[in-house]
Amino acid sequence: MATAPRPDPASVPQPPAGPPAARGASDVSLPGGLSAAVLQLAAAPQIDDGELVRRTRAGQEDAFAALVARYQKRAFWIAFHVVGRVEEARDVAQEAFVRLFRSLDKYDFARSFYTWFYRIVMNLAIDYLRKIKSARSSSIEDFVTLLPDEREPRGSQALERAEENAQVWTVLEKIDPKLRAVIVMRDIHGLSCREIAPILRITHATARWRLHRGRQVFREYWERLVYDVDERRARQVRAQAGNEPGELENGSCEQ
Amino acid sequence: MSAPDPSRLAECERLCAELPLFVGDDLGRDVAGAERARWVREHLKGCARCRRHASALQQARKALQQFGRATPDGVDEEFFTDLHERVLSETVHAPIGGAWRDRVSIGRLSGLAAAAMLLFALGFWLVDLSTGDSVLRRPPLVLDASAPRPDGGRDDLVRAVPYAGGRVELKLLGYQDGGAVGQGMAGRLDLRLLGDEARLPSRQTGGATTGGAAADGAAQHR
């Protein structure tokens, strides 16, 4: 394979830290079971992504294994926050790496690796959403697993938080995938609009507009949902106290 | 209760447009962005309605960020080790030809086969072999074979290998108007097997494209 000129490491943009769950993918929490050589390559700060691509193209398997180790958590979490299901997010991440491997020859060393790779992940995730759009109306299966078992002695705060996470997913699912992709990348993964724009192949102004619109829409749905939940809880409390009719009776009255 | 100030309301509306970006510190890091952020902060100090609006946006964003920190069941180090192995088994550890097999799936092969059959059927339907202008069907030119070529040379006999059959000797029957006859290589030299000449009808008629004098010349030559 042809060798490409090495860019100045200082000029190559570094990947964003991402959410706490994805953070540390390149340092402390590399997956277990990897060989020492792969771990060393993945954790070496002086070996940038471009160098790993170069070595992979030269036939070094460990270099690609290190690249996967560096980015698999970011790939999985970003896919998970867009598609909302563990199995599908894992498939998206896996497919993204397969496509990356097959197209390493096309990698432009002048551009940042993570922008290129995130684009592959986001495209696959959005394609997945389009495919299932008509197939599923509403699913919070994986987020329901975030809810702790009520039989376990856990604090009410944890229960509330888990419930809130499930509600966030309910809201996210209602938002257009294009807007969802931007607010997930900005508000969860911490990418700036300047970083998001090339990933989604849109202009910086479009990224900002989608972020603006996405936050507005999210807030509207969120307020409505929280209001509905609070209202339902209040009715339940009143029904249990015997002061007012219960939820069912109240609900039927509204109609 | 006094009516709200119209200019104040217009300012609130303008602020509402800025708030979604303001809450995430996304108004811009340049001078203009910093100035807009300063203006929003000043407005919020004196407007309870807009503060509520900003608070609602911040609450929603906080919930989103909280959601980003949650980990679903089953996603642990073992999960990522498994993912790593899956990726490598599909890429660098894949058997030779595995990737190629993935690309050329049964579906793609079926599609290619169907397209090839369609093209073949279309071509078969379009090409009418019975009316084709075959070299062997075309009436031969019968000219004076001993006449000099335009370049002054002579070539009564041409050795050639026909498209079917063994090596034979072919005879140049002549040129038309001192130049090439027909189109392409097949038309430049009108060749016939020597043994076939007796059976060709144009031999007697003098050819479709040339005159009788030329036919006579050819007969004399033989």
Side-chain angles (χ1 to χ4, degrees):
Chain A
M1 296 183 189
T3 56
R6 294 183 182 205
D8 177 16
S11 68
V12 177
Q14 294 303 306
R23 207 169 286 155
S26 60
D27 43 42
V28 289
S29 62
L30 289 167
L34 301 183
S35 71
V38 172
L39 280 173
Q40 201 177 353
L41 270 177
Q46 73 276 13
I47 300 177
D48 63 11
D49 301 328
E51 177 59 26
L52 288 179
V53 171
R54 211 173 276 118
R55 291 185 187 190
T56 305
R57 282 164 57 157
Q60 291 183 27
E61 291 184 3
D62 282 354
F64 187 71
L67 209 52
V68 176
R70 271 189 188 179
Y71 279 95
Q72 65 172 358
K73 288 188 177 180
R74 291 188 182 99
F76 169 78
W77 285 115
I78 208 165
F80 178 67
H81 292 135
V82 174
V83 305
R85 288 181 168 196
V86 172
E87 293 296 317
E88 280 76 2
R90 185 185 59 188
D91 290 347
V92 165
Q94 185 178 334
E95 180 62 22
F97 279 114
V98 172
R99 292 197 183 185
L100 169 77
F101 183 74
R102 288 178 186 165
S103 54
L104 278 179
D105 282 345
K106 297 174 195 162
Y107 176 59
D108 179 1
F109 287 88
R111 295 172 185 269
S112 78
F113 174 81
Y114 80 87
T115 302
W116 185 50
F117 180 59
Y118 275 28
R119 184 184 302 153
I120 297 173
V121 177
M122 288 306 294
N123 284 343
L124 285 169
I126 291 173
D127 281 352
Y128 169 78
L129 286 179
R130 283 184 187 139
K131 277 181 197 165
I132 61 150
K133 193 177 177 183
S134 56
R136 93 175 155 160
S137 55
S138 176
S139 171
I140 54 169
E141 288 169 24
D142 285 328
F143 288 95
V144 168
T145 64
L146 294 170
L147 289 168
D149 188 342
E150 289 182 38
R151 292 166 296 185
E152 290 179 13
R154 293 194 192 181
S156 63
Q157 198 181 352
L159 185 67
E160 280 176 17
R161 189 170 290 175
E163 198 176 333
E164 191 177 276
N165 286 334
Q167 289 168 358
V168 169
W169 176 246
T170 307
V171 172
L172 271 179
E173 238 195 345
K174 290 180 181 172
I175 297 178
D176 182 272
K178 288 179 180 175
L179 303 181
R180 194 194 309 182
V182 175
I183 59 174
V184 160
M185 281 195 279
R186 177 71 191 110
D187 287 338
I188 298 180
H189 289 259
L191 276 74
S192 69
C193 286
R194 292 218 176 271
E195 290 167 324
I196 292 169
I199 290 172
L200 297 179
R201 281 191 170 151
I202 53 177
T203 63
H204 178 233
T206 305
R208 280 169 61 86
W209 182 85
R210 285 187 189 175
L211 178 65
H212 182 279
R213 183 74 191 130
R215 279 180 180 158
Q216 260 183 341
V217 171
F218 184 85
R219 196 217 73 190
E220 283 164 19
Y221 282 130
W222 178 248
E223 277 190 331
R224 211 176 296 165
L225 186 75
V226 169
Y227 176 79
D228 287 349
V229 170
D230 289 349
E231 205 44 23
R232 208 176 303 137
R233 278 185 187 153
R235 282 176 204 157
Q236 280 176 345
V237 169
R238 286 197 294 268
Q240 281 170 0
N243 297 331
E244 287 187 20
E247 191 177 356
L248 281 175
E249 290 84 352
N250 213 354
S252 60
C253 286
E254 282 176 355
Q255 294 168 3
Chain B
M1 194 173 162
S2 60
D5 180 9
S7 65
R8 182 77 176 172
L9 278 178
E11 201 173 277
C12 289
E13 275 184 24
R14 197 183 135 208
L15 182 115
C16 279
E18 302 278 14
L19 273 181
L21 294 181
F22 173 79
V23 295
D25 196 18
D26 293 304
L27 281 176
R29 296 181 187 277
D30 54 358
V31 178
E35 179 59 28
R36 283 157 70 193
R38 192 193 60 77
W39 173 76
V40 171
R41 273 193 293 271
E42 286 298 317
H43 180 93
L44 288 177
K45 279 180 192 170
C47 181
R49 182 173 162 271
C50 288
R51 270 204 305 275
R52 277 196 300 275
H53 191 55
S55 173
L57 271 168
Q58 273 170 338
Q59 288 293 324
R61 188 164 179 267
K62 199 177 158 190
L64 195 59
Q65 287 172 328
Q66 177 63 42
F67 161 82
R69 285 190 281 271
T71 305
D73 283 349
V75 180
D76 49 19
E77 286 307 307
E78 197 178 333
F79 174 87
F80 285 110
T81 305
D82 177 59
L83 174 59
H84 195 268
E85 283 171 8
R86 279 169 179 250
V87 170
L88 294 189
S89 67
E90 287 281 319
T91 52
V92 290
H93 296 160
I96 295 170
W100 176 244
R101 277 200 301 275
D102 287 348
R103 285 182 209 179
V104 186
S105 61
I106 298 290
R108 282 189 187 183
L109 280 176
S110 307
L112 284 172
M117 285 179 68
L118 185 69
L119 281 173
F120 179 76
L122 194 66
F124 194 79
W125 179 68
L126 285 175
V127 176
D128 186 357
L129 294 175
S130 63
T131 59
D133 188 17
S134 166
V135 172
L136 291 177
R137 284 172 184 273
R138 198 186 306 160
L141 295 173
V142 184
L143 296 175
D144 184 359
S146 60
R149 286 196 315 232
D151 59 2
R154 284 177 183 277
D155 44 5
D156 292 345
L157 288 178
V158 177
R159 292 184 191 281
V161 181
Y163 62 89
R167 184 181 293 273
V168 293
E169 283 192 339
L170 300 175
K171 183 181 181 184
L172 172 65
L173 298 180
Y175 298 93
Q176 183 177 28
D177 299 331
V181 178
Q183 298 291 319
M185 184 57 76
R188 288 187 67 197
L189 301 175
D190 197 359
L191 304 175
R192 291 293 180 271
L193 288 172
L194 292 175
D196 287 346
E197 279 184 33
R199 297 199 297 273
L200 290 172
S202 53
R203 170 89 190 281
Q204 283 77 32
T205 59
T209 57
T210 56
D216 292 340
Q220 286 169 6
H221 175 70
R222 279 184 292 273

